[in-house]
Amino acid sequence: MCVAFATPAGAQSPLPAPQRLTCADAMALVKGKGSVLISPGGGGMPERFVRDRSQCNLSEIAELRFVPTRDNPECPIGYRCREPEFSDWDW
């Protein structure tokens, strides 16, 4: 995985892959920057991780996400913004 700041297109700088960071360092990176892009190796689509709901669009919800790090195979690195589905509403 490759990490880059979530900045305007063409202005992204690669950061250390999450597998090279400890869980605490990866969480601190997301918390400190507010928003980062993580691209899986092999040309996969990058995924945006945010520190909290305030980094999402008004219509989006924040869903806790996990990535493998050097010391934790399921590190709660931050949140992913996404549009809610019908099943997300608490009826």
Side-chain angles (χ1 to χ4, degrees), residues 3 8 16 23 26 30-31 33 36-37 39 46 50 54 57 63 67 84:
V3 180
C23 184
V30 173
K31 186 176 180 181
K33 299 299 178 191
V36 295
L37 286 179
S39 297
V50 298
S54 70
N57 291 330
E63 175 181 70
V67 298

Side-chain angles (χ1 to χ4, degrees), residues 19-89:
Q19 293 90 349
R20 295 183 183 182
L21 299 172
T22 64
C23 184
D25 289 342
M27 291 170 61
L29 176 66
V30 173
K31 186 176 180 181
K33 299 299 178 191
S35 175
V36 295
L37 286 179
I38 298 179
S39 297
M45 293 297 296
E47 187 172 352
R48 180 174 173 246
F49 291 86
V50 298
R51 74 172 151 231
D52 57 37
R53 166 81 178 65
S54 70
Q55 301 292 316
C56 300
N57 291 330
L58 289 177
S59 63
E60 295 177 320
I61 60 173
E63 175 181 70
L64 185 60
R65 300 292 289 188
F66 301 86
V67 298
T69 59
R70 186 174 70 202
D71 61 341
N72 186 346
E74 293 187 16
C75 176
I77 190 172
Y79 297 87
R80 176 180 68 114
C81 298
R82 68 174 180 83
E83 291 292 329
E85 297 174 358
F86 182 78
S87 61
D88 292 318
W89 298 102

